[in-house]
Amino acid sequence: FLFAQLPALDFKAYDLWKRLEKEQISSTGKIITYEQSVLRGNTELHLFFPQIQKHDSILRAKDALIASDERFVAWTISPDYDTLRKLELNKIDKKKWPKDSLFIYHLESDSLIKISKLKQRQLAEDAPVLAILHEVNPPKIQKKEVSKWDKLWFWKKEPEAPKANPYKTDGFRLELYQSGALLTQVLDSITQFALSPDGSKIAVIQQRKVKLDSMEVKVYQTTNLSLIQAFETQPLVQDLTWSSNSQQLVYLYSTDTSATK
């Protein structure tokens, strides 16, 4: 009689089946993460801290990154599945879709940092250094109320909001997180980047549009974003790759200006 009350098992049940995946455990077992997902719907990230027997679950979170020193854990939160599905069915331009956000939780200070409009992130293999590429909104300017008399005699065009990046580019802003805080220095006009395995250096492709597109590979120290080396500008550059000892960098480039058209 009890089994007769259960719903029939058919193809509609596939969408509701939950599966566990992407299990991770930190070097000393201080942090454990895994995801609970369904075929159609939002993922749920689970964080477990065995030492203090604390368990957290975060809806719409995924792709956790655990620092090598176990001082922080980062994850991505995506927009609601149903919201994205409606936008897709209505054929809304993907540029207008809501973007992913990155959250960084620092264990010692019990603090949380949010970075909106995420494009790319990478955690160094052997160091607690996290690189984040994201869109930046232009800063807003405060408008002052002007009297009608002033508008009549001394009217000037209202100033426009300054651009976040003065250069025309397809790139975005790059920031680094380490030691529990974001660096104050940032890099703009970045299209691609690659952290060295030891986290001491970061290679970037800086792209700007003048008369022709120009791409320049630069290598910076991650401690303070001081420039180590800049290579010759090329029309097209891609695929930054570090050697396992973090001493050599390889990338592809083309000198053919027609490649950018």
Side-chain angles (χ1 to χ4, degrees):
F1 177 77
L2 292 176
F3 283 105
Q5 306 304 313
L6 296 176
L9 185 61
D10 56 15
F11 69 93
K12 295 181 181 179
Y14 297 160
D15 294 346
L16 303 176
W17 283 359
K18 297 179 180 180
R19 64 179 183 271
L20 302 181
E21 57 186 355
K22 298 183 181 180
E23 303 88 352
Q24 295 184 89
I25 184 168
S26 59
S27 56
T28 66
K30 188 177 179 180
I31 306 172
I32 297 173
T33 69
Y34 62 90
E35 291 182 17
Q36 179 178 285
S37 60
V38 293
L39 185 61
R40 295 183 181 181
N42 296 310
T43 59
E44 187 174 68
L45 177 66
H46 290 257
L47 308 173
F48 182 60
F49 306 95
Q51 293 182 353
I52 57 176
Q53 290 295 299
K54 180 181 179 181
H55 172 261
D56 287 324
S57 60
I58 307 167
L59 189 63
R60 296 188 288 112
K62 60 181 182 179
D63 300 333
L65 298 173
I66 303 175
S68 58
D69 63 355
E70 302 176 304
R71 296 183 65 187
F72 68 84
V73 57
W75 60 84
T76 302
I77 289 189
S78 299
D80 181 68
Y81 174 85
D82 291 336
T83 300
L84 296 180
R85 182 60 178 163
K86 289 179 181 178
L87 294 173
E88 183 180 13
L89 293 175
N90 293 330
K91 298 182 179 180
I92 304 298
D93 188 353
K94 287 191 176 183
K95 292 182 179 179
K96 298 180 181 180
W97 288 20
K99 305 295 191 300
D100 291 350
S101 297
L102 180 73
F103 285 79
I104 308 171
Y105 174 63
H106 193 260
L107 277 66
E108 294 180 1
S109 61
D110 193 26
S111 59
L112 191 67
I113 293 177
K114 177 186 177 182
I115 298 177
S116 302
K117 297 185 177 182
L118 178 68
K119 302 298 292 186
Q120 182 185 353
R121 84 276 192 281
Q122 181 190 2
L123 182 65
E125 295 179 14
D126 305 319
V129 181
L130 179 63
I132 309 124
L133 190 67
H134 64 103
E135 298 180 26
V136 180
N137 293 324
K140 295 182 180 180
I141 59 174
Q142 295 181 352
K143 295 183 179 180
K144 296 182 180 179
E145 295 186 2
V146 184
S147 65
K148 294 182 179 180
W149 180 261
D150 289 337
K151 286 183 178 180
L152 181 64
W153 293 100
F154 307 104
W155 183 84
K156 291 183 180 180
K157 185 178 179 180
E158 293 184 355
E160 297 180 354
K163 295 182 178 179
N165 185 356
Y167 298 98
K168 290 184 178 180
T169 177
D170 294 328
F172 303 96
R173 173 163 293 181
L174 177 71
E175 296 190 65
L176 292 178
Y177 176 88
Q178 53 188 335
S179 302
L182 289 166
L183 288 184
T184 55
Q185 299 91 336
V186 299
L187 298 175
D188 282 315
S189 306
I190 306 302
T191 57
Q192 297 179 38
F193 68 87
L195 274 169
S196 62
D198 64 1
S200 63
K201 296 179 284 291
I202 184 169
V204 302
I205 298 177
Q206 192 172 56
Q207 184 260 358
R208 292 172 178 173
K209 297 181 178 181
V210 191
K211 293 182 179 179
L212 294 173
D213 287 359
S214 63
M215 294 186 177
E216 187 176 13
V217 175
K218 296 181 178 180
V219 180
Y220 293 87
Q221 290 182 349
T222 55
T223 52
N224 53 11
L225 282 182
S226 59
L227 181 64
I228 299 175
Q229 186 173 358
F231 297 90
E232 184 178 356
T233 303
Q234 304 291 348
L236 181 63
V237 182
Q238 62 183 16
D239 297 339
L240 301 170
T241 305
W242 284 98
S243 61
S244 58
N245 62 0
S246 303
Q247 298 301 313
Q248 293 178 305
L249 174 72
V250 64
Y251 58 90
L252 302 177
Y253 72 91
S254 172
T255 58
D256 184 5
T257 56
S258 63
T260 59
K261 295 181 181 180

